[in-house]
Amino acid sequence: MIDVDHQISTVRRQLGTRVLEAGQARVQTISQSYPATLEDVWDACTNPERLPRWFLPVSGELRLGGKYQLEGNAGGTIESCDPPKSFGATWEFGGQVTWIEVRLHAESAEHTRLELDHIAHIEDGPNEFWEQFGPGATGVGWDSALIGLVLHLSTGEAVDPKAVEAWMGSADGIRFVNESANAWAETDIAEGTEPETARARAERTAAFYTPQPE
């Protein structure tokens, strides 16, 4: 379905912080370049008819101030929109509110870089979820989403969810999950986390995402 080593190596991953009105927030950034025009990538990321072809079905109003809901996943409110360059929205899932910001940059007439920030408020005291899984918890999910966008933009066709599910359970799919978790662990280490702690988090994350035998 996809070259695992190439996909892992071409994605940029970064961790940082930002000050919000509610306090300090953790910022997780994932970025990849695509052989497509700025307008095409924007349409793929914002057109409700195209989003299901590589990501998830979406309902609601995809406009500034509108509310959206991804099928079986997050919903929220669109808080900023600057076509065809950027948009931002709340990302509300499992009773938690975080934020996403998507930016598109034309690297050339036929190549566009997508950057996605996932922003989460750092709660006072220890964050058990972060301590257990680290950045890979959401990072592996975003890495997996980028696979769908790669396939869709390279072929123009809709990605078959059943084929993706089967691939994720294959040897290559499991290796992809492990490599993604390890890449986020290395990003975690670069931000000052002890290597043993970061790699233990990555192991738990990979186990969470790997299909278990029935």
Side-chain angles (χ1 to χ4, degrees):
M1 175 171 285
I2 200 162
D3 184 323
V4 172
D5 294 331
H6 177 76
Q7 181 64 17
I8 292 295
S9 64
T10 56
V11 170
R12 297 176 184 173
R13 302 167 187 85
Q14 187 175 353
L15 295 173
T17 57
R18 185 184 301 182
V19 177
L20 304 178
E21 290 184 7
Q24 193 173 38
R26 183 180 292 112
V27 183
Q28 183 172 16
T29 304
I30 188 167
S31 170
Q32 185 169 8
S33 182
Y34 299 92
T37 65
L38 180 68
E39 290 75 17
D40 190 30
V41 179
W42 175 263
D43 190 66
C45 293
T46 60
N47 185 333
E49 295 183 359
R50 283 186 75 178
L51 275 167
R53 300 179 193 174
W54 66 272
F55 193 36
L56 291 168
V58 62
S59 58
E61 297 181 280
L62 301 189
R63 60 170 179 79
L64 185 62
K67 294 187 179 296
Y68 73 95
Q69 179 63 54
L70 292 164
E71 187 175 290
N73 205 295
T77 302
I78 298 171
E79 297 187 324
S80 64
C81 187
D82 182 19
K85 297 178 180 179
S86 66
F87 66 86
T90 62
W91 186 264
E92 303 173 28
F93 183 74
Q96 300 294 317
V97 179
T98 57
W99 299 265
I100 59 167
E101 293 179 358
V102 175
R103 298 177 298 278
L104 302 181
H105 308 277
E107 296 182 319
S108 70
E110 298 296 332
H111 284 81
T112 302
R113 176 165 294 279
L114 179 149
E115 292 181 343
L116 183 147
D117 288 347
H118 194 157
I119 306 159
H121 179 246
I122 300 175
E123 301 175 358
D124 294 334
N127 185 321
E128 292 183 7
F129 188 81
W130 180 267
E131 291 302 320
Q132 184 175 5
F133 296 106
T138 48
V140 173
W142 288 119
D143 260 311
S144 301
L146 293 189
I147 288 181
L149 188 55
V150 168
L151 294 172
H152 174 60
L153 290 174
S154 62
T155 65
E157 302 295 326
V159 178
D160 182 354
K162 291 184 178 179
V164 173
E165 183 179 358
W167 184 81
M168 291 300 291
S170 71
D172 273 350
I174 292 170
R175 187 165 71 87
F176 172 80
V177 166
N178 280 278
E179 291 298 326
S180 171
N182 290 336
W184 282 108
E186 293 305 311
T187 306
D188 202 9
I189 292 167
E191 284 299 302
T193 299
E194 290 293 331
E196 183 177 352
T197 298
R199 289 169 184 146
R201 290 172 175 174
E203 288 182 9
R204 290 190 286 269
T205 297
F208 174 82
Y209 276 97
T210 301
Q212 300 300 311
E214 297 181 359

